[in-house]
Amino acid sequence: MSEAVIEKVDNDGMVRLTINRPKALNALNSEVLSALEAHLVELEAHPNLRAVLITGAGEKSFVAGADITEMREKTPEEARAFASQALRTIKRLETLPVPVVALVNGFCLGGGCELALACDWAVASDNAVFGQPEVLLGVIPGFGGTQRLPRRVGPAMAIDLVTTGRKIDAQEALRIGLVNRVMPQAELESYAEELTKQLKGNGPQSVRGAKQAVHDGMDQDLDSALALETSLFAFCFAGDEQKEGMSAFVEKRKPNF
Ligand code: CAA
């Protein structure tokens, strides 16, 4: 498989994907998108997948956008095909049945921000820079930014960002809810380790169920979404995880999921 995306999987199904094009600040070209999609197709079939962390190679950039050099000479039809490839790939990431977390280690611009928006949550290094600067290039966001950004930060802030193309720092990204946490770059690794440990300690099926309830419920009216939650909650009682988790509490020991 191409080295444009590096995958590390541990024995417990914790996966780290690294976009690996540091000389171009990990910009997303067709090769990177194909490599990412190939990994995601494999991960969709992974029976014991627990969580996915995604980051960029090097210390400067998460992803600095779609590849401008590659896009420069595209026709409208080619641009549509490129955006479709990216949207399909990003959707695969978003719909993995386990938590997907972006470790944003620097520039997170254009297509990079759109990739992070498809993750369940993002944590950023304090030197990270965010933005949708497409209007500076004579285009609009094409990898989902006009749709996922307002859903995450609200329409007013989204329209501010996509029409001015201004860049924001990690603290502003935190304030508007684009990222969950900000930390010094050197601490991103220990955060990843801590998160991995935490998720490994939880019931794998309940973690999947909790993500499914939020994701599927968001597209429904409140009453339907609450009914969905009840079904997924009741379904937990059909498996071993609930028996083990609750028995462990009563017996004052750690659960063994
Ligand atoms: N596409 C292609 N190459 C890129 C790139 C991109 N999005 N971003 C950076 N690079 C390349 C640069 O061309 C440069 O390559 P060379 O060394 O061969 O010249 C290399 O990465 C390093 O970049 P800089 O020298 O520019 O680094 P810097 O520290 O001076 O600046 C930066 C960093 C502010 C991120 C600057 O590179 C930049 O503005 N990049 C473009 C960001 C951008 O506009 N992203 C949106 C792209 S459009 C998009 O994503 C559309 C969409 O929704 C689908």
Side-chain angles (χ1 to χ4, degrees):
M1 207 179 267
S2 155
E3 289 292 295
V5 174
I6 296 171
E7 178 183 298
K8 272 195 197 165
V9 192
D10 76 7
N11 291 335
D12 296 310
M14 302 294 303
V15 176
R16 167 164 322 207
L17 295 172
T18 304
I19 310 290
N20 184 36
R21 230 191 133 207
K23 283 190 180 146
L25 303 184
N26 304 317
L28 301 173
N29 61 9
S30 307
E31 188 195 347
V32 174
L33 289 170
S34 298
L36 182 57
E37 186 168 25
H39 284 286
L40 294 171
V41 167
E42 272 189 14
L43 292 177
E44 283 166 359
H46 190 304
N48 303 315
L49 189 65
R50 298 289 292 272
V52 174
L53 308 182
I54 184 161
T55 193
E59 300 212 325
K60 198 172 162 184
S61 183
F62 173 69
V63 169
D67 190 295
I68 299 166
T69 315
E70 182 178 318
M71 285 186 294
R72 188 175 165 198
E73 301 295 343
K74 282 194 189 305
T75 64
E77 291 72 27
E78 289 165 345
R80 180 185 289 276
F82 185 53
S84 299
Q85 179 191 22
L87 285 179
R88 192 179 63 233
T89 304
I90 287 174
K91 186 81 182 168
R92 285 189 187 281
L93 183 71
E94 184 175 49
T95 54
L96 284 173
V98 298
V100 177
V101 181
L103 302 174
V104 178
N105 55 322
F107 291 113
C108 185
L109 299 170
C113 194
E114 293 166 300
L115 186 69
L117 282 166
C119 296
D120 291 309
W121 74 90
V123 296
S125 57
D126 51 12
N127 62 342
V129 177
F130 296 79
Q132 297 287 165
E134 286 84 356
V135 286
L136 279 67
L137 299 163
V139 294
I140 70 168
F143 291 0
T146 64
Q147 304 309 311
R148 289 195 178 92
L149 188 60
R151 284 166 170 77
R152 182 141 316 170
V153 304
M157 183 54 78
I159 295 175
D160 168 348
L161 292 173
V162 300
T163 60
T164 63
R166 74 184 174 91
K167 297 184 178 69
I168 61 172
D169 63 16
Q171 286 305 332
E172 185 168 359
L174 180 66
R175 194 171 53 72
I176 66 174
L178 188 50
V179 301
N180 281 20
R181 290 176 63 169
V182 174
M183 59 196 72
Q185 187 151 39
E187 286 173 23
L188 269 185
E189 275 316 302
S190 44
Y191 171 82
E193 275 169 33
E194 188 52 39
L195 178 64
T196 298
K197 216 167 97 189
Q198 207 174 7
L199 289 172
K200 277 183 186 178
N202 297 341
Q205 292 311 321
S206 20
V207 169
R208 285 177 176 233
K211 169 165 174 171
Q212 189 191 342
V214 174
H215 267 256
D216 294 357
M218 292 284 286
D219 295 331
Q220 301 179 12
D221 64 82
L222 184 59
D223 285 342
S224 310
L226 290 171
L228 168 73
E229 183 192 74
T230 305
S231 298
L232 290 168
F233 173 71
F235 184 69
C236 295
F237 289 73
D240 296 338
E241 248 174 59
Q242 170 268 334
K243 311 265 173 308
E244 171 59 13
M246 294 193 179
S247 299
F249 176 81
V250 172
E251 293 160 16
K252 301 192 186 306
R253 60 176 175 80
K254 276 196 166 177
N256 183 15
F257 292 119

